[in-house]
Amino acid sequence: MNKQLRKAIIAGNWKMNKTPAETTKLIEEIAPLVKNADCTVIACVPFVDLHAAQEAAKGTNIEIGAENCHWATSGAFTGEISADMLASMGLKYVIIGHSERRQYFGETDVTVNNRVKAAIAAGLTVILCVGELLEQREQGITSEIVSLQTKIALQGVSKEQLSQIVIAYEPVWAIGTGKTATADQADEVCGVIRDVIAEIYDIESAGKMTIQYGGSMNEQNADELLSKIHVDGGLIGGASLVAEKFAKIIEAASK
Ligand code: 13P
């Protein structure tokens, strides 16, 4: 595998944080700090902040994404947002299958797969999240869980459509806990995911797939995590809400 084939991607997942006015301010703070980044920089923000984020990011190298989308193109789904609606705003990225959606909102591998297909059909690039629970890691079934999540999420996705997929490995026990997977643990599971891509598609596709790590990644541990062969970037929660911290992670990914 050749890491040079893959462009590093650092994406912030703002989760349920920031009003539109706060969004403008934070994007304006981040922009000058990351203008020389040698990696893709994305901020995934709440739906109501998307417009403000796009306006603030105009003329910068920051891309804006959403945090979820529905699988139907339109219809009676109160409170939901379709992939087509996001695409119509000129957005390019959407996170799908985040563990918080799986944990609190009944998201399953099958609904993740449906959302992935809808997002691809709308022309979006998906940041697909997979990851094991602490019990699953302790039971020694991390590889099985993550492989299964990846396989089901990508059912019906063609090899050509893989250019619209980025995978984020996020061990659930490391999210928002301050407990990071060690760089070796992150590398090992990102490697498992890469093997799954090789198994379903082929080695070439696996070599090109950007696989991020997420879970308490910060300005202190980013260097080591990103130095690993299978770790091509990061999906950042807490640290993406502080301009200087997010910029330091982007600096690490630009090396
Ligand atoms: P933290 O970086 O806050 O642990 O969150 C990670 C995450 O869930 C990104 O999607």
Side-chain angles (χ1 to χ4, degrees):
M1 297 292 173
N2 181 358
K3 203 168 172 172
Q4 306 309 320
L5 289 174
R6 312 185 283 270
K7 187 159 170 112
I9 302 179
I10 299 294
N13 172 10
W14 289 13
K15 308 192 179 185
M16 197 173 73
N17 292 293
K18 306 293 173 190
T19 62
E22 290 166 345
T23 297
T24 303
K25 187 165 171 273
L26 182 52
I27 297 282
E28 283 175 359
E29 278 170 22
I30 295 169
L33 303 179
V34 305
K35 65 178 196 300
N36 297 321
D38 189 22
C39 65
T40 301
V41 179
I42 308 170
C44 294
V45 307
F47 291 127
V48 297
D49 295 334
L50 286 168
H51 182 67
Q54 280 181 309
E55 287 298 308
K58 266 190 191 150
T60 76
N61 55 336
I62 304 174
E63 307 260 11
I64 305 301
E67 298 177 12
N68 186 29
C69 71
H70 196 261
W71 56 80
T73 47
S74 63
F77 299 101
T78 303
E80 290 292 315
I81 304 281
S82 77
D84 284 354
M85 290 172 181
L86 298 176
S88 77
M89 290 183 74
L91 292 164
K92 202 172 149 204
Y93 294 94
V94 62
I95 296 171
I96 292 181
H98 192 278
S99 66
E100 286 149 17
R101 304 254 7 129
R102 296 178 192 254
Q103 194 176 350
Y104 305 124
F105 303 102
E107 191 81 73
T108 67
D109 289 333
V110 172
T111 56
V112 168
N113 176 236
N114 290 335
R115 290 181 208 266
V116 165
K117 287 187 287 195
I120 288 177
L124 299 171
T125 293
V126 173
I127 300 176
L128 165 67
C129 301
V130 297
E132 83 286 2
L133 304 170
L134 182 59
E135 306 89 273
Q136 294 166 334
R137 174 160 285 266
E138 284 170 348
Q139 221 185 318
I141 56 172
T142 297
S143 299
E144 284 94 328
I145 293 292
V146 168
S147 300
L148 203 65
Q149 287 175 340
T150 306
K151 284 181 184 175
I152 298 174
L154 294 179
Q155 228 174 5
V157 174
S158 72
K159 186 174 136 178
E160 291 66 38
Q161 290 170 330
L162 285 185
S163 60
Q164 284 170 262
I165 301 278
V166 172
I167 300 177
Y169 165 54
E170 299 207 311
V172 179
W173 49 272
I175 295 177
T177 57
K179 247 195 234 174
T180 324
T182 64
D184 285 337
Q185 283 173 326
D187 192 43
E188 184 190 353
V189 183
C190 289
V192 166
I193 295 168
R194 202 175 300 289
D195 288 345
V196 169
I197 300 300
E199 184 193 326
I200 321 177
Y201 300 95
D202 52 31
I203 300 229
E204 193 196 345
S205 306
K208 284 197 253 175
M209 176 62 65
T210 292
I211 304 178
Q212 301 172 309
Y213 167 79
S216 300
M217 195 192 252
N218 59 36
E219 70 288 3
Q220 274 139 32
N221 58 28
D223 247 332
E224 196 190 350
L225 285 160
L226 293 166
S227 72
K228 293 293 171 181
I229 186 76
H230 292 298
V231 181
D232 307 315
L235 185 56
I236 325 295
S240 74
L241 297 170
V242 182
E244 294 74 21
K245 293 186 181 183
F246 191 50
K248 285 239 164 71
I249 297 170
I250 288 159
E251 216 175 287
S254 300
K255 283 181 192 160

